[in-house]
């Protein structure tokens, strides 16, 4: 008598097929496996996770670096000679890579959740290696804590299913070390905006750097006129000297980017801007490039009348700017470009600029002089100028040189530097500050003034975006830790109960896993006790004073 085996009917598992198929090109049922992941595939999983984390930081860095996009593009222009928005391809490729790796990460976590063996396809492995080399940057505390808390489900599940005690101990210790480190991370985090509200200094004054170059072509009369309507205290301009000794406004070494010199003087387009006489400079158009390149993506919002006005701008002389400043009763910050050697005014460039300023009739105390060359001569002739240094020096050296003001890039001065200079009656102006978050941070640091290409944006910032007292910060810190603790503890307890009721594990394995999970829960309780201690000391005046002093 022949026995027949009953026919086995397999249900379709569409989601699982897509999961294993996309991740490892294992579309067939027989290609799947619930066996332990090989060491080689674990290594690739770690590389995938590391690459994703680094690219996430890189993406965050470029989004937060929006304040410096223009300076980055200007640097590219100085190297290549062609103006283009170099941030677009960087952000596009970073976003594409981040999306791709995020998909792989989700698929990998789903593999772990359903107990499938990890088997990353070779094509994905090649792509991961290519992206790794461009990643670097800082991590966000709350985001990292949320991610580690979310991983508790996968960690607890892996510990419950694993039959190797050594692996369980290593994973548990690693996870708890990271979790505890994140719980205590705020002890090493400091921010100027963690302060008592009554200690906030006055709102930093805004200086229009080259006018309002996001609204009109830089260093043109229209740009300066628009800046004067943005609640600024002064204007900043870059001064060059023409071949016949006329000071004019130009940031670049050549005229190629901001004028139509290639159309009128094609054979001289690479020459230094100072090699042109004022008659030739006046014939150049300084506005059409702005309409064509649209460097700040603002032209599309202009009316037809505004575009005609922009398109008719010409190179501005220092004399024209001084008359505008005089009528508006504002201050002016001057940075000078020395003509190259062989120029007829290579040695007299400071005297020519100084004579133009004095002839304009502007009050001496309204001139911020940021030129180190012949400083002693300038101090003797016009002692009321605000002598400004663009080099970070000790207080004693600055006072010895008669300097009363510092003009530095925003990342060159810390909050402690600002306090030190301010205590010695030295005013600090930082550039280039275009983003509200950066302006808020410098406001909390006590900076007196900033130089900005976006005065129309900073005009709307009436109070710091991120201002909280040390007590509020401490409560947020502890609350975040407690929420994380509750979630982690709940996840491990649930996994422990699920493991105890599961019929797939032997009684011995269940016992081992339960012991380990109980030990992890105890460790999390220790972290909870630390959080409670922190909650208690948040009411301690000494601790709040210590956090504020950071």
């Amino acid at each position: 008598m022949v026995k027949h085996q009953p026919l086995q009917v397999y249900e379709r598992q569409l989601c699982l097929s897509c999961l294993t198929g996309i991740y490892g090109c294992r579309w067939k049922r027989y290609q799947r496996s619930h066996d332990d992941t090989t060491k080689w595939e674990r290594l690739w999983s770690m590389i995938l996770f590391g690459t994703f984390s680094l690219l996430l930081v890189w993406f965050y860095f470029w989004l937060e670096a929006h304040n410096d996009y223009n300076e980055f593009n200007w640097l590219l222009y100085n190297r290549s000679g062609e103006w283009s928005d170099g941030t677009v391809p960087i952000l596009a490729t970073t976003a594409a890579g981040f999306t791709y790796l995020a998909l792989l990460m989700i698929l990998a976590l789903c593999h772990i959740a359903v107990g499938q063996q990890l088997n990353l396809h070779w094509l994905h492995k090649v792509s991961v290696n290519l992206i790794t080399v461009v990643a670097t940057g800082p991590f966000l505390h709350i985001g990292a804590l949320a991610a580690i808390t979310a991983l508790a489900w996968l960690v607890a599940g892996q510990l419950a299913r694993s039959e190797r005690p050594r692996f369980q101990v290593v994973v548990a210790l690693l996870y708890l070390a990271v979790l505890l480190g994140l719980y205590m991370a705020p002890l090493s985090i400091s921010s100027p905006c963690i302060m008592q509200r009554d200690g906030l200094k006055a709102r930093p004054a805004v200086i229009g750097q080259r006018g309002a170059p996001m609204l009109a072509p830089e260093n043109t009369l229209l740009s300066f006129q628009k800046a004067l309507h943005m609640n600024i205290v002064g204007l900043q301009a870059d001064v060059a000297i023409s071949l016949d000794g006329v000071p004019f406004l130009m940031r670049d070494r050549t005229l190629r980017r901001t004028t139509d010199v290639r159309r009128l003087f094609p054979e001289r387009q690479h020459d230094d801007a100072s090699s042109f006489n004022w008659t030739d400079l006046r014939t150049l158009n300084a506005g059409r490039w702005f309409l064509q390149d649209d460097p700040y993506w603002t032209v599309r919002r202009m009316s037809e009348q505004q575009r005609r006005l922009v398109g008719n701008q010409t190179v501005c002389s220092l004399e024209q700017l001084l008359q505008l400043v005089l009528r508006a009763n504002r201050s002016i910050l001057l940075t000078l470009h020395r003509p190259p050697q062989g120029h007829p005014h290579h040695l007299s460039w400071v005297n020519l600029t100084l004579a133009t300023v004095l002839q304009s009739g502007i009050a001496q105390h309204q001139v911020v002089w940021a030129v180190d060359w012949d400083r002693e001569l300038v101090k003797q002739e016009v002692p009321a100028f605000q002598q400004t240094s663009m080099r970070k020096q000790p207080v004693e050296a600055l006072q010895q040189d008669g300097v009363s003001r510092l003009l530095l890039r925003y990342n060159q001065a810390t909050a402690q530097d600002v306090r030190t200079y301010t205590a010695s009656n030295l005013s600090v102006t930082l550039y280039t500050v275009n983003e509200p978050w950066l302006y808020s941070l410098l406001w909390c640091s006590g900076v007196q003034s900033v130089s900005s290409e976006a005065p129309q944006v900073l005009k709307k910032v009436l109070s710091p975006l991120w201002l909280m007292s040390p007590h509020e910060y401490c409560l947020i810190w502890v609350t975040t830790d407690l929420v994380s603790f509750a979630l982690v503890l709940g996840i491990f307890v649930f996994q422990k109960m699920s493991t105890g009721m599961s019929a797939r594990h032997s009684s011995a394995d269940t016992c081992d896993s339960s012991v380990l999970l109980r030990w992890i829960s105890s460790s999390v309780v220790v972290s909870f006790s630390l959080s409670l201690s922190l909650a208690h000391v948040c009411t301690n005046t000494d601790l709040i004073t210590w956090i504020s002093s950071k």
Side-chain angles (χ1 to χ4, degrees):
M1 185 174 182
V2 179
K3 287 187 177 182
H4 296 280
Q5 295 291 336
L7 182 64
Q8 294 183 353
V9 179
Y10 293 97
E11 296 181 0
R12 291 185 177 182
Q13 297 176 310
L14 182 60
C15 292
L16 188 59
S17 297
C18 292
L19 178 65
T20 58
I22 296 175
Y23 186 80
C25 201
R26 295 175 296 162
W27 300 93
K28 305 297 184 181
R29 181 184 298 273
Y30 67 85
Q31 293 176 315
R32 303 172 197 154
S33 173
H34 288 275
D35 297 338
D36 290 339
T37 303
T38 64
K39 294 182 179 179
W40 177 249
E41 290 300 332
R42 286 177 185 168
L43 175 62
W44 275 109
S45 301
M46 293 176 62
I47 293 176
L48 172 62
F49 177 75
T51 304
F52 173 79
S53 301
L54 292 174
L55 191 61
L56 174 62
V57 174
W58 176 258
F59 197 19
Y60 170 78
F61 165 78
W62 273 102
L63 290 178
E64 290 299 314
H66 188 269
N67 182 83
D68 299 323
Y69 281 3
N70 184 52
E71 290 196 28
F72 176 74
N73 291 331
W74 189 65
L75 176 64
L76 293 181
Y77 167 76
N78 286 333
R79 295 189 175 184
S80 66
E82 297 294 335
W83 178 265
S84 63
D85 193 344
T87 61
V88 172
I90 292 177
L91 288 174
T93 54
T94 301
F98 175 76
T99 304
Y100 168 63
L101 288 181
L103 175 61
L104 292 183
M105 279 293 300
I106 294 173
L107 292 174
L109 295 177
C110 290
H111 271 72
I112 297 174
V114 298
Q116 280 288 320
Q117 184 187 57
L118 290 173
N119 188 8
L120 185 64
H121 194 259
W122 67 268
L123 186 60
H124 296 321
K125 296 174 182 177
V126 174
S127 302
V128 167
N129 272 334
L130 292 177
I131 298 174
T132 304
V133 296
V134 296
T136 185
F139 286 96
L140 298 177
H141 169 246
I142 295 180
L145 187 57
I148 292 297
T149 302
L151 284 176
W153 181 271
L154 297 176
V155 172
Q158 283 293 99
L159 294 178
R161 288 193 295 267
S162 178
E163 299 178 358
R164 292 173 296 177
R166 182 178 301 176
F167 172 76
Q168 293 175 325
V169 171
V170 171
V171 172
L173 287 176
L174 180 62
Y175 180 78
L176 290 176
V178 173
L179 188 65
L180 185 58
L182 288 176
Y183 282 169
M184 307 304 295
L187 288 174
S188 61
I189 296 176
S190 62
S191 172
C193 287
I194 301 176
M195 61 183 301
Q196 299 295 345
R197 298 181 184 275
D198 55 4
L200 185 65
K201 303 294 184 181
R203 183 178 185 270
V206 179
I207 299 173
Q209 188 178 133
R210 294 181 293 279
M214 294 186 180
L215 305 178
E218 63 182 55
N219 281 327
T220 61
L221 277 180
L222 180 61
S223 179
F224 293 118
Q225 289 168 352
K226 286 185 175 294
L228 290 174
H229 292 90
M230 301 300 169
N231 194 28
I232 63 171
V233 299
L235 298 170
Q236 178 181 351
D238 309 288
V239 182
I241 306 296
S242 69
L243 191 65
D244 50 352
V246 177
F248 67 99
L249 309 184
M250 184 60 56
R251 180 190 187 187
D252 300 348
R253 186 186 64 83
T254 69
L255 302 169
R256 296 180 71 245
R257 181 174 69 90
T258 57
T259 70
D260 59 347
V261 65
R262 280 179 280 192
R263 183 177 65 87
L264 297 182
F265 306 100
E267 71 285 353
R268 301 178 61 191
Q269 59 178 302
H270 295 286
D271 293 352
D272 194 286
S274 297
S275 64
F276 290 77
N277 59 45
W278 179 240
T279 302
D280 292 337
L281 290 170
R282 291 180 61 184
T283 63
L284 297 174
N285 183 285
R288 293 196 192 103
W289 73 273
F290 188 84
L291 298 176
Q292 295 171 358
D293 296 339
D294 194 8
Y296 299 99
W297 304 60
T298 54
V299 173
R300 65 190 68 184
R301 296 192 294 268
M302 291 182 179
S303 64
E304 193 61 34
Q305 181 180 1
Q306 291 174 325
R307 295 189 184 192
R308 285 197 298 268
L309 187 60
V310 168
N312 291 327
Q313 292 303 301
T314 58
V315 177
C316 181
S317 68
L318 177 60
E319 181 181 2
Q320 292 174 307
L321 174 60
L322 290 171
Q323 292 303 317
L324 178 65
V325 172
L326 181 62
R327 292 193 297 270
N329 192 27
R330 298 292 199 278
S331 63
I332 182 169
L333 195 162
L334 298 177
T335 57
L336 275 60
H337 299 316
R338 186 177 187 180
Q341 290 188 352
H343 192 280
H345 302 288
H346 178 69
L347 298 178
S348 59
W349 57 297
V350 171
N351 291 332
L352 286 172
T353 306
L354 188 59
T356 303
V357 173
L358 295 178
Q359 291 172 6
S360 68
I362 189 172
Q364 294 184 10
H365 69 274
Q366 291 181 314
V367 178
V368 182
W369 189 261
V371 185
D372 290 330
W373 187 268
D374 283 342
R375 188 182 295 277
E376 291 299 325
L377 174 64
V378 174
K379 288 193 319 185
Q380 292 177 5
E381 294 194 15
V382 276
F385 274 10
Q386 298 183 50
Q387 293 296 331
T388 304
S389 176
M390 299 183 67
R391 295 180 299 168
K392 185 178 178 180
Q393 303 178 65
V395 172
E396 296 75 13
L398 294 172
Q399 292 176 338
Q400 185 176 359
D401 293 337
V403 172
S404 61
R405 195 179 191 126
L406 276 170
L407 177 63
L408 302 173
R409 183 173 168 78
Y410 71 86
N411 59 355
Q412 290 181 311
T414 64
Q416 182 58 45
D417 292 332
V418 173
R419 288 192 290 266
T420 301
Y421 289 129
T422 302
S424 301
N425 294 324
L426 291 171
S427 178
V428 178
T429 300
L430 300 182
Y431 69 93
T432 303
V433 180
N434 298 332
E435 293 296 313
W437 69 266
L438 180 58
Y439 182 71
S440 300
L441 191 66
L442 298 179
W443 186 347
C444 296
S445 300
V447 172
Q448 290 84 2
S449 58
V450 300
S451 179
S452 174
E453 296 173 331
Q456 75 279 5
V457 174
L458 302 188
K459 177 184 178 181
K460 303 175 184 178
V461 183
L462 303 179
S463 61
L465 301 181
W466 305 327
L467 179 64
M468 66 180 72
S469 67
H471 183 72
E472 293 171 336
Y473 172 69
C474 194
L475 290 179
I476 291 176
W477 165 18
V478 173
T479 300
T480 304
D481 286 356
L482 292 178
V483 171
S484 172
F485 154 77
L487 291 175
V488 172
L489 184 60
I491 289 171
F492 275 96
V493 170
F494 177 81
Q495 289 285 9
K496 174 183 175 182
M497 294 174 61
S498 299
T499 303
M501 294 184 298
S502 177
R504 293 180 299 174
H505 298 278
S506 64
S507 59
D509 293 336
T510 303
C511 181
D512 291 340
S513 298
S514 299
V515 170
L516 183 63
L517 288 174
R518 188 181 299 112
W519 176 72
I520 292 175
S521 301
S522 301
S523 300
V524 175
V525 170
V526 173
S527 300
F528 172 68
S529 301
L530 289 174
S531 299
L532 288 180
S533 299
L534 292 173
H536 174 70
V537 297
C538 270
T539 59
N540 190 314
T541 306
D542 294 336
L543 177 68
I544 294 178
T545 304
W546 175 75
I547 294 177
S548 180
S549 65
K550 294 182 64 182

